[in-house]
Amino acid sequence: MSRAIDRRQFVRAVGGAGLVATAGFLQEDEAEEDPEPEEGGEVLVWDAGGTGGTYYPLSGEFKTIVEAATPHGLQVQSTGASVENVGSLAREDSDFALIQNDINFFAYNGTGLEEFEGRPIENLRGVASLYPETIHVLVAAGAGYESVADLAGATINTGDLGSGTQVNALQILETAGVEEFDEQNADFATAADQLRDGDIDAAFIVGGWPVGAVEELATTADVDILAIGDDLLEQLLDEIEFFAEDEIPGGTYDGVEEAVQTVSVQAMITTHEAVDETIVEEVTAAIFDNADELTIKAEFIDVESALDGMSIPLHPGAEAYFGERDEVDLDEELGDES
């Protein structure tokens, strides 16, 4: 469907999608079999994201670490990611979730998106920041698109309905002046298939590089990643406080040999206030005390950066863990958020 996106329409578009997600009317989550906790442990529900992104495989590594270091079992679920995960935590249907820091801020403060406007979700609590989630704007190589502004009139997959990817995609398109385009909504793996098959012109994928769906696509098709150019970059950094300047290194994906300038948000582990303080402390300690066992985003996941971009109040269990670490000054890192 062709649509003109202005600021009001942007909020309505994302708001409507997010309402569906947070109300829990999306397709039922893909979940593994229930884990069996040890004596004294609990089954903890952990919402990740789509299987083609970074959230899901990283959550699988967290599951292995947490189950080895604590008596608890993690039930990792594939979901539509950030906005949907906010809804699950709000309803206390899950115990932990991976959520972008900007979506956490909007949800907790009841602002930014229509489904949150005036309806703050005040039970959200932060556990830790993990890594930059890099925004990839993918197009077919040789298709003639040189910048985001060139996507006017194109068919674009902006990510799953109600996802943080969709939020970021519409923010970027609006800022770039792209007012008319055909919007498609699907997970990363489907978006990659659509681009490979010529069913769409561009796809937004947000995740820590290398993203599995992009890696696979780049091995079977010639793709380009559009740079967020200097003027657009400056506008985005001025207008959207949670965007940070980022770069996809050359050679990260087959056929993309030069570094690509772009922006990112932060991936966060989030929980809700009703989760037991001891459980949150145990899970936080398991992950950060054993971060050297990670193979995904291991270069970023570290105690020293775990509170960077923390956009909501810290859960007391996480505060107890980080408060005992010499590398962390809670007062300096959190200020008014603690």
Side-chain angles (χ1 to χ4, degrees):
M1 132 183 99
S2 183
R3 60 198 300 178
I5 300 291
D6 62 21
R7 189 169 298 277
R8 291 184 299 276
Q9 288 171 312
F10 159 69
V11 171
R12 284 201 299 272
V14 181
L19 274 172
V20 173
T22 55
F25 296 132
L26 291 182
Q27 183 175 332
E28 207 170 300
D29 289 341
E30 225 177 271
E32 58 188 32
E33 291 184 9
D34 287 348
E36 295 185 6
E38 297 175 8
E39 184 177 354
E42 295 187 17
V43 173
L44 305 174
V45 178
W46 183 292
D47 283 350
T51 57
T54 306
Y55 281 6
Y56 192 80
L58 178 59
S59 295
E61 294 199 349
F62 289 156
K63 171 184 169 67
T64 299
I65 289 172
V66 170
E67 291 183 347
T70 78
H72 308 298
L74 249 59
Q75 179 179 304
V76 174
Q77 301 189 140
S78 173
T79 72
S82 289
V83 177
E84 182 180 348
N85 291 355
V86 165
S88 293
L89 290 177
R91 299 187 302 272
E92 300 184 4
D93 289 342
S94 60
D95 302 295
F96 295 89
L98 296 186
I99 298 173
Q100 292 177 192
N101 66 339
D102 57 337
I103 303 302
N104 271 326
F105 179 87
F106 294 150
Y108 182 81
N109 290 282
T111 188
L113 300 177
E114 185 174 325
E115 72 270 39
F116 304 141
E117 200 73 48
R119 295 191 290 267
I121 301 175
E122 296 179 342
N123 72 330
L124 296 180
R125 294 292 182 270
V127 176
S129 296
L130 296 174
Y131 61 88
E133 289 204 86
T134 306
I135 295 174
H136 301 59
V137 188
L138 297 169
V139 295
Y145 299 109
E146 302 295 331
S147 70
V148 176
D150 291 340
L151 295 176
T155 300
I156 307 170
N157 190 314
T158 61
D160 266 329
L161 282 169
S163 66
T165 297
Q166 188 193 25
V167 172
N168 297 149
L170 295 181
Q171 288 170 324
I172 291 168
L173 290 167
E174 180 189 17
T175 303
V178 178
E179 297 181 346
E180 295 279 350
F181 62 95
D182 290 339
E183 184 176 9
Q184 299 286 314
N185 297 105
D187 61 25
F188 295 162
T190 302
D193 288 342
Q194 289 176 323
L195 193 60
R196 180 188 298 108
D197 295 341
D199 296 330
I200 59 173
D201 300 303
F204 280 78
I205 290 180
V206 180
W209 51 261
V211 178
V214 182
E215 281 189 302
E216 183 177 350
L217 173 64
T219 63
T220 57
D222 294 331
V223 297
D224 283 334
I225 303 175
L226 297 183
I228 305 292
D230 292 338
D231 290 343
L232 178 56
L233 176 68
E234 185 175 343
Q235 279 185 278
L236 290 170
L237 296 180
D238 285 346
E239 295 178 11
I240 302 169
E241 62 182 303
F242 293 107
F243 278 158
E245 187 173 357
D246 202 358
E247 181 180 270
I248 301 169
T252 300
Y253 302 108
D254 285 354
V256 183
E257 301 306 324
E258 300 295 325
V260 180
Q261 183 179 22
T262 184
V263 291
S264 63
V265 291
Q266 279 280 337
M268 280 178 57
I269 303 173
T270 309
T271 186
H272 60 79
E273 63 182 356
V275 179
D276 181 78
E277 181 175 336
T278 299
I279 289 176
V280 174
E281 183 175 4
E282 289 172 342
V283 169
T284 307
I287 290 171
F288 284 91
D289 289 351
N290 298 283
D292 58 349
E293 297 181 19
L294 295 168
T295 65
I296 299 171
K297 310 314 293 182
E299 66 271 38
F300 296 105
I301 299 173
D302 183 81
V303 168
E304 292 186 10
S305 60
L307 300 181
D308 290 355
M310 180 60 60
S311 55
I312 57 176
L314 200 62
H315 191 284
E319 186 171 346
Y321 172 75
F322 291 115
E324 294 296 320
R325 300 301 300 257
D326 293 337
E327 307 97 311
V328 179
D329 183 332
L330 286 177
D331 291 335
E332 180 180 340
E333 293 285 352
L334 299 179
D336 293 338
E337 294 294 349
S338 60

